[in-house]
């Protein structure tokens, strides 16, 4: 009987090999054995393993850190580490990566692997290549003043990543299990975490649909991988330390009911042409507007904030609300939570229009404008190009700017100058 059952399983694998592609790597051989030993089918037929319905946000079945397999790079595969002054952003990559395959026909998530950094091999018909069925996250590992390495609120990135997966028809997972795998990956490549407070190790978790079939539908196979890159500043700022942004009312980044609030690649590719045009005009990034009132949404890789004197004469920090048009940034959320504890500042989420920005600026009530995000931390904005005019913002003229106070607070948490629950120490 075991021999007959094995033959049936081999026949099923042969007939469905176009669906399971790279599952025949060494880390998945045990999965075949488990399927064979646990199979409860008659010799005449075999059914693909059934998966239970996926819950809303917390999947019942996920890969597990306890199943993690590690294959370290050989000495000849190790890459020389670049000088901190030459880092830039995303030019160099560490020696190892994390990879986790998902195959619906094999029960879902396979065992996670840490392997030497390598190129991916996927079928030319993979759905990620044709229908943008993919998503990603951005995180950082910081080497603190105590030489300990920290992550900044990784649970929030996992939450956002699962929401994007749910919207994209990609498999969800247990975020805590991925965090544990990430911690191990960072520990293995810990010498790639810069010994500097001006540089960090950037983590890029990515989830792509790999099913090799045409047709816009939920993929039966996917791949989650994480690569890491030591980075320095995201922008080259102007001489005053700030950036200039370009607001074009004729283009739009997101629309109500769309996926502007999810970190998917399809939100970024279509922005390249406008960003290039902005660069030719001397600006660093694009401020995306929406609707007839020209509402501010977000700036390229940043959420947007303004500081102004409100109608009651108080200093107020404002940012657009999470109305589906903008990304729910982890840094954005942290800024709102931290600043709301300061008694000298009113904090509010509100619709901000270009007309309002111009009015406040003309009346001398607009004090600051800045962007915030994982890649850029907190970046001051001193100019907005809009309708053939430049609106100069006095951000850099403030004696005690809010943006600098927020930036200093965030960096103090991230680099361990102060103990805070936002920081997760991993070594």
């Amino acid at each position: 009987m075991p021999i007959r059952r094995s033959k049936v399983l081999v026949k099923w694998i042969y007939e469905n090999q176009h669906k399971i592609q790279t599952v025949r790597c060494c880390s998945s051989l045990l999965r075949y054995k488990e399927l064979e030993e646990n199979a409860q089918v008659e010799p005449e037929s075999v059914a693909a393993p059934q998966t239970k319905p996926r819950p809303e946000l917390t999947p019942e079945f996920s890969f597990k850190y306890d199943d993690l397999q590690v294959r370290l790079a050989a000495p000849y595969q190790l890459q020389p580490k670049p000088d901190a002054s030459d880092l830039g952003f995303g030019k160099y990559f560490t020696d190892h990566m994390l990879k986790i395959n998902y195959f619906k026909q094999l029960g879902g998530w396979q065992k996670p692997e840490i392997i030497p950094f390598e190129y991916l091999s996927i079928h030319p018909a993979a759905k990620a290549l044709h229908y943008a069925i993919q998503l990603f996250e951005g995180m950082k590992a910081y080497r603190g003043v105590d030489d300990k390495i920290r992550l900044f609120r990784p649970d929030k990135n996992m939450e956002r990543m699962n929401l994007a997966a749910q919207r994209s028809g990609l498999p969800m997972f247990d975020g805590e299990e991925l965090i544990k795998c990430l911690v191990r990956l960072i520990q293995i490549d810990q010498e790639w975490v810069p010994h500097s407070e001006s540089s960090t190790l950037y983590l890029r978790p990515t989830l792509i649909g790999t099913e090799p079939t045409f047709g816009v539908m939920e993929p039966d196979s996917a791949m989650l991988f994480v690569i890491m890159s030591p980075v320095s500043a995201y922008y080259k700022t102007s001489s005053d330390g700030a950036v200039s942004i370009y607001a074009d009312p004729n283009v739009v980044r997101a629309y109500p009911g769309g996926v502007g609030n999810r970190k998917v690649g399809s939100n970024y590719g279509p922005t390249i042409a406008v960003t290039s045009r902005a660069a030719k005009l001397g600006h660093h990034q694009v401020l995306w507007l929406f609707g007839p009132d020209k509402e501010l949404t977000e700036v390229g890789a940043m959420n947007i904030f303004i500081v102004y004197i409100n109608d009651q004469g108080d200093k107020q920090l404002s940012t657009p609300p999470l109305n589906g048009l903008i990304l729910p940034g982890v840094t954005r959320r942290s800024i709102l939570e931290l600043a709301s504890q300061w008694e000298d500042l009113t904090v509010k989420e509100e619709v901000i229009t270009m007309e309002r920005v111009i009015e406040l600026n003309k009346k001398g009530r607009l004090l600051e404008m800045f962007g915030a995000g994982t890649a850029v931390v907190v970046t001051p904005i001193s100019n907005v190009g809009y309708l053939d005019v430049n609106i100069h913002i006095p951000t850099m003229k403030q004696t005690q700017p809010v943006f600098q106070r927020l930036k200093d607070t965030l960096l103090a948490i991230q680099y361990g100058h102060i103990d805070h629950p936002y920081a997760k120490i991993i070594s």
Side-chain angles (χ1 to χ4, degrees):
M1 179 66 71
I3 295 178
R4 296 182 66 188
R5 186 158 54 223
S6 177
K7 287 182 178 179
V8 172
L9 179 63
V10 170
K11 181 174 182 292
W12 180 85
I13 292 174
Y14 178 77
E15 292 174 346
N16 293 272
Q17 60 181 311
H18 66 288
K19 297 181 179 179
I20 61 179
Q21 304 179 72
T22 58
V23 76
R24 289 171 290 181
C25 60
C26 60
S27 65
S28 295
L29 292 178
L30 292 177
R31 183 63 178 165
Y32 286 148
K33 186 177 180 181
E34 291 170 6
L35 286 175
E36 180 178 346
E37 291 175 350
N38 297 329
Q40 299 295 330
V41 296
E42 295 299 324
E44 291 78 14
S45 62
V46 62
Q50 298 297 311
T51 58
K52 292 185 178 181
R54 188 171 62 197
E56 282 300 302
L57 285 177
T58 305
E60 185 174 350
F61 296 105
S62 175
F63 51 83
K64 302 294 183 183
Y65 169 75
D66 290 342
D67 296 328
L68 178 66
Q69 299 176 347
V70 178
R71 177 163 55 90
L72 297 178
Y76 72 88
Q77 294 175 300
L78 301 178
Q79 299 297 315
K81 295 175 179 61
D83 294 333
S85 59
D86 188 45
L87 286 180
F89 199 92
K91 298 195 306 182
Y92 303 96
F93 298 92
T94 67
D95 297 316
H96 297 86
M97 63 187 292
L98 173 69
K99 187 162 69 172
I100 314 168
N101 283 306
Y102 174 92
F103 299 105
K104 185 176 180 180
Q105 299 291 345
L106 292 180
W109 286 109
Q110 306 300 293
K111 295 181 178 182
E113 303 174 279
I114 290 176
I115 59 175
F117 188 93
E118 65 179 15
Y119 288 98
L120 298 180
S121 177
I122 60 175
H123 195 285
K127 291 188 183 296
L129 302 178
H130 298 267
Y131 310 115
I133 300 180
Q134 62 91 249
L135 57 96
F136 65 96
E137 270 299 326
M139 308 167 63
K140 282 182 177 178
Y142 308 81
R143 188 179 296 278
V145 291
D146 52 3
D147 204 38
K148 293 180 180 179
I149 298 172
R150 291 169 171 81
L151 292 173
F152 185 76
R153 309 190 79 176
D155 55 313
K156 304 306 178 188
N157 293 96
M158 298 300 99
E159 178 183 311
R160 189 171 66 180
M161 193 171 180
N162 266 317
L163 286 170
Q166 183 184 48
R167 180 63 193 265
S168 303
L170 288 164
M172 293 186 291
F173 53 89
D174 187 328
E176 286 300 317
E177 296 298 320
L178 181 54
I179 290 174
K180 293 176 186 177
C181 293
L182 287 175
V183 167
R184 184 70 185 116
L185 178 63
I186 296 168
Q187 288 172 337
I188 290 173
D189 278 346
Q190 61 182 289
E191 283 308 311
W192 283 87
V193 183
H195 294 255
S196 165
E197 290 194 26
S198 61
S199 305
T200 57
L201 183 66
Y202 187 82
L203 284 66
R204 174 52 62 84
T206 307
L207 179 57
I208 62 175
T210 56
E211 182 184 340
T213 58
F214 292 145
V216 184
M217 61 190 70
E218 182 176 303
D220 284 345
S221 62
M223 181 192 300
L224 193 163
F225 63 90
V226 183
I227 55 178
M228 305 190 297
S229 172
V231 299
S232 56
Y234 189 82
Y235 292 124
K236 290 184 178 179
T237 60
S238 303
S239 57
D240 62 356
V243 298
S244 175
I245 57 178
Y246 175 64
D248 185 347
N250 297 311
V251 293
V252 65
R253 172 189 171 274
Y255 205 81
V259 290
N261 59 346
R262 299 290 174 253
K263 205 168 181 67
V264 294
S266 55
N267 280 338
Y268 295 85
T271 70
I272 292 176
V274 183
T275 303
S276 297
R277 185 163 73 249
K280 291 178 181 178
L281 295 172
H283 305 287
H284 296 85
Q285 264 292 352
V286 174
L287 169 59
W288 296 96
L289 307 176
F290 176 78
D293 294 332
K294 310 299 184 291
E295 297 177 24
L296 280 63
T297 60
E298 65 178 59
V299 182
M302 307 187 289
N303 290 119
I304 189 80
F305 291 81
I306 64 171
V307 180
Y308 68 97
I309 304 299
N310 63 22
D311 294 338
Q312 290 71 43
D314 299 321
K315 185 181 290 188
Q316 179 168 315
L317 172 67
S318 289
T319 192
L322 296 180
N323 55 9
L325 297 177
I326 67 174
L327 192 70
V330 177
T331 306
R332 173 191 182 276
R333 178 173 180 169
S334 303
I335 285 174
L336 293 175
E337 292 174 357
L338 291 169
S340 65
Q341 301 173 23
W342 300 345
E343 295 181 355
D344 58 340
L345 189 66
T346 299
V347 178
K348 188 176 181 180
E349 297 180 70
E350 62 177 339
V351 172
I352 307 169
T353 65
M354 280 304 302
E355 182 180 1
R356 178 68 167 158
V357 169
I358 294 170
E359 176 191 11
L360 289 171
N361 200 44
K362 285 183 177 179
K363 292 181 177 180
R365 292 167 54 189
L366 182 59
L367 306 179
E368 303 174 42
M369 180 180 287
F370 61 88
T374 298
V376 302
V377 193
V378 175
T379 299
I381 298 167
S382 60
N383 183 75
V384 180
Y386 177 66
L387 297 179
D388 299 324
V389 298
N390 284 310
I391 304 170
H392 299 289
I393 314 296
T395 306
M396 306 307 291
K397 296 179 181 179
Q398 307 305 312
T399 55
Q400 293 181 314
V402 172
F403 85 83
Q404 191 64 55
R405 184 179 175 187
L406 287 164
K407 183 176 182 179
D408 291 344
T409 302
L410 288 169
L411 292 178
I413 295 171
Q414 292 163 347
Y415 286 100
H417 291 279
I418 58 176
D419 292 328
H420 199 281
Y422 286 175
K424 177 181 176 62
I425 299 176
I426 66 173
S427 67

